[in-house]
Amino acid sequence: MKPKDEKKLQAIFDATITLTGQEGIVGLTMSKIAKTAKIGIGTLYVYFESKEELVNELYRQLKSKGTLSMIDDLKQLPVKLQLMEIWKNTLHYQVENHAQMLFMEQFLNSPFISEESRGLSHRFMEYLGELLKKGQEQMIIKQADEGILMSLLTGYSRQLSSQLAATKAPLTEQIINESFAVCWDAIKS
Amino acid sequence: MKPKDEKKLQAIFDATITLTGQEGIVGLTMSKIAKTAKIGIGTLYVYFESKEELVNELYRQLKSKGTLSMIDDLKQLPVKLQLMEIWKNTLHYQVENHAQMLFMEQFLNSPFISEESRGLSHRFMEYLGELLKKGQEQMIIKQADEGILMSLLTGYSRQLSSQLAATKAPLTEQIINESFAVCWDAIKS
Amino acid sequence: MKPKDEKKLQAIFDATITLTGQEGIVGLTMSKIAKTAKIGIGTLYVYFESKEELVNELYRQLKSKGTLSMIDDLKQLPVKLQLMEIWKNTLHYQVENHAQMLFMEQFLNSPFISEESRGLSHRFMEYLGELLKKGQEQMIIKQADEGILMSLLTGYSRQLSSQLAATKAPLTEQIINESFAVCWDAIKS
Amino acid sequence: MKPKDEKKLQAIFDATITLTGQEGIVGLTMSKIAKTAKIGIGTLYVYFESKEELVNELYRQLKSKGTLSMIDDLKQLPVKLQLMEIWKNTLHYQVENHAQMLFMEQFLNSPFISEESRGLSHRFMEYLGELLKKGQEQMIIKQADEGILMSLLTGYSRQLSSQLAATKAPLTEQIINESFAVCWDAIKS
DNA sequence: AATGAATGAGGATTCATTCAT
DNA sequence: AATGAATGAATCCTCATTCAT
């Protein structure tokens, strides 16, 4: 990759996300991406060697931005507060970036995904695991299998935000609080 | 569709599910389906008018079989027992039929889906909603928004079974019990 | 060819003619022929070895029936009367059997035609040539090149009947008489 | 259609005409057209959206060029001279462009033809009709039905030029004169 | 004899990628 | 760097023909 124009690069990524949201990754073609990004098809190949690379690169970018950014500010807070903040931020992020979520999900099931991309299990999961463990040590979180607790948090937030996005319902304070209460009751000791 | 040979029809469906599991719906081609099902390409078109029809028909079939079958036996039980049974059955079903789940998920985001198929929101959801409402009336389930509770159950079971299938971990009694405990704590009043 | 059922054979030919009239020889398929003739596809291959044979056989049949039957009754009449009768009969035949005409024309330009069929220049043309020559000997027909006179008769009758069939106009006495007058003025000495 | 290269466009049209002349419109395939035009198959679809569009576009082009160009120069001449000129030009055109004629005829009976193309009854017919009417007003042409006279001119010229092309006979002065004499005798008052 | 399900070669069309401008 | 016309491999689909019943 030898990108020159950061704006153009972002336009390509945006177009890819938009189109995947509209017609699914099945309907995603290079010419549609170019047209949507308002550049020539040839230009796509200045920025990416192939469709596969484009799509993997985008996945990597989304993963690295993702929910990671929020972590550092929270590390000093008590466990429950950290979880609450994460829950709020994650819901916000997932509702606001629903198209990106859709892209990532479909990408994971496509033949485009490279071994490297598949391995991109992100720091976020590790962080969440450690947080739960810390809570268990403090006896405020159930002594259940980590996988069982993580699945709840990730599966629930995904489903809830996806449902909100689908029905175009706004993410209100009340929803955040109610759903977090549900979460906390689920995992608390 | 003018199926003559029920076996051949099922072979087509099986091949479609298998292939979608392997390479995603993006990599699904009619010739691969035919080869996997061990029939001629032309034969596919004896059973289905087009790839779109094939894939919609399969979705419809999976939906109608699906988790619906279990409902009727349970209706007499108390709410919590019903939920427990459903939870167990659902996990079992989803782990054992992970490929079908994958197919349905990808299908929903593909351009193949017809309006009719999209409308196939199943009886199961309605049943689950009513069960939760009944629990709320009996004051044993939280007075939270129905969507918030449903998202938990569906999102959690999906994530958990998907994780189990991915890691090829067996669905043990313990996992079922632990995860149901988590569920129940989450929604109980 | 080992036909057993003359009715079925005719149904096949009729279907072929009808379909060619409707969608052209380009759209002609064996399964449509079978369906229109109300027989099974397999049965077609009991009567004909291939599509090519079917279509050549039909051409041969139409050619041999054709306008030939009328000749024998006329041979004793004077030249102009013979021509008049032929003109009338030909117009009638071509208007009433427009679909057959269409089939033959399209067949002649298709890759189905065999060498043998192409050679089926029929007795009718020879007869018409001889008739014109006789007229020239009797000094009642122009001493022009035979091809020039024949082209007039065949091209004109074809165009006129085709136009009548297309507009579904009936072939009236007046049209026959007026058009024959035109013909006769064209070729008379 | 977004043609960039006029030469390539013409090569496609030429190939289509040639191939239709050789194997009929039944045997016409996109890959043969591409090969004959010495371009890639994909390139065909840069110029035309489909086979249907290609073939309709060609028909339209041939119609609009066609015999129309000759009209304007003649309008000042007396009726009989106009007819003579038209007859000569038409024969020349049809003999020299026999392949185009064949294409148009087969196209008209194919399922490819669009409503719009079918409606392309050309100015030429109207012009010819008006010319005949003018001759009738001047009492030099028979008071016969217009359709009857038009059929003669069009059917005859078609048949004659087609026969000449088939036998590869040259279109001599003598043939033109003799055939026009026949024509004139046919329609003159 | 009659049937039509099964087949795969072949045709139309798409789309990732190249390359001359 | 940017472009988009050109390309052909790969895809969907059709249809003449076969063959077991």
Side-chain angles (χ1 to χ4, degrees), chain A residues 122-133:
Chain A
H122 49 183
R123 270 209 304 138
F124 184 71
M125 284 298 172
E126 297 165 22
Y127 159 71
L128 197 58
E130 284 160 20
L131 191 58
L132 288 175
K133 207 168 296 174

Side-chain angles (χ1 to χ4, degrees), chain A residues 5 23 30 35 83 87 94-95 99 109 125 164 166 187:
Chain A
D5 185 341
E23 313 184 49
M30 292 299 262
K35 193 170 288 174
L83 276 173
W87 185 254
Q94 289 183 351
V95 169
N109 288 114
M125 284 298 172
L164 289 168
I187 65 175

Side-chain angles (χ1 to χ4, degrees), chain A residues 11-46:
Chain A
I12 294 172
F13 282 158
D14 289 348
T16 306
I17 291 166
T18 305
L19 287 167
T20 305
Q22 284 167 3
E23 313 184 49
I25 209 170
V26 177
L28 191 67
T29 71
M30 292 299 262
S31 64
K32 280 184 198 161
I33 294 175
K35 193 170 288 174
T36 306
K38 287 178 183 162
I39 59 173
I41 301 187
T43 313
L44 276 184
Y45 286 85
V46 173

Side-chain angles (χ1 to χ4, degrees), chain A residues 8-141:
Chain A
K8 220 160 269 185
L9 192 64
Q10 201 50 50
I12 294 172
F13 282 158
D14 289 348
T16 306
I17 291 166
T18 305
L19 287 167
T20 305
Q22 284 167 3
E23 313 184 49
I25 209 170
V26 177
L28 191 67
T29 71
M30 292 299 262
S31 64
K32 280 184 198 161
I33 294 175
K35 193 170 288 174
T36 306
K38 287 178 183 162
I39 59 173
I41 301 187
T43 313
L44 276 184
Y45 286 85
V46 173
Y47 287 77
F48 302 98
E49 284 205 341
S50 67
K51 185 183 179 183
E52 196 175 324
E53 198 198 278
L54 187 165
V55 121
N56 273 280
E57 207 60 55
L58 171 54
Y59 180 74
R60 219 162 295 153
Q61 203 216 38
L62 293 178
K63 267 292 180 202
S64 70
K65 289 188 178 173
T67 33
L68 276 180
S69 47
M70 62 180 75
I71 295 179
D72 294 326
D73 306 334
L74 306 174
K75 286 202 168 159
Q76 311 314 324
L77 299 177
V79 170
K80 187 175 175 184
L81 279 183
Q82 277 193 54
L83 276 173
M84 205 190 304
E85 280 304 305
I86 290 170
W87 185 254
K88 188 172 75 181
N89 290 340
T90 303
L91 281 186
H92 270 301
Y93 182 84
Q94 289 183 351
V95 169
E96 278 153 26
N97 302 284
H98 187 234
Q100 276 100 316
M101 298 294 118
L102 275 178
F103 169 78
M104 288 202 278
E105 220 157 88
Q106 294 184 53
F107 172 76
L108 284 171
N109 288 114
S110 78
F112 302 133
I113 190 169
S114 68
E115 277 315 303
E116 196 204 339
S117 291
R118 200 184 291 278
L120 267 189
S121 104
H122 49 183
R123 270 209 304 138
F124 184 71
M125 284 298 172
E126 297 165 22
Y127 159 71
L128 197 58
E130 284 160 20
L131 191 58
L132 288 175
K133 207 168 296 174
K134 203 162 141 196
Q136 290 176 324
E137 284 160 11
Q138 297 176 7
M139 305 289 282
I140 55 180
I141 287 186

Side-chain angles (χ1 to χ4, degrees), chain D residues 1-3 5-22 25 28-30 32-39 43-44 46-65 97 99-104 107 117:
Chain D
M1 202 183 38
K2 30 212 142 98
D5 188 341
E6 197 58 40
K7 282 224 180 90
K8 216 158 276 183
L9 191 64
Q10 201 51 50
I12 294 172
F13 282 159
D14 289 349
T16 306
I17 290 165
T18 304
L19 287 167
T20 305
Q22 284 167 6
I25 210 169
L28 192 67
T29 71
M30 292 301 261
K32 280 184 199 161
I33 294 175
K35 195 169 288 175
T36 306
K38 288 180 182 160
I39 59 173
T43 312
L44 279 182
V46 173
Y47 288 78
F48 302 98
E49 286 205 341
S50 66
K51 184 181 177 182
E52 193 175 326
E53 201 199 273
L54 188 164
V55 133
N56 272 278
E57 207 63 53
L58 171 54
Y59 181 74
R60 218 163 294 153
Q61 203 216 38
L62 293 178
K63 269 292 182 203
S64 72
K65 289 187 178 174
N97 303 283
Q100 276 100 316
M101 298 294 119
L102 274 179
F103 169 78
M104 289 204 276
F107 171 75
S117 292

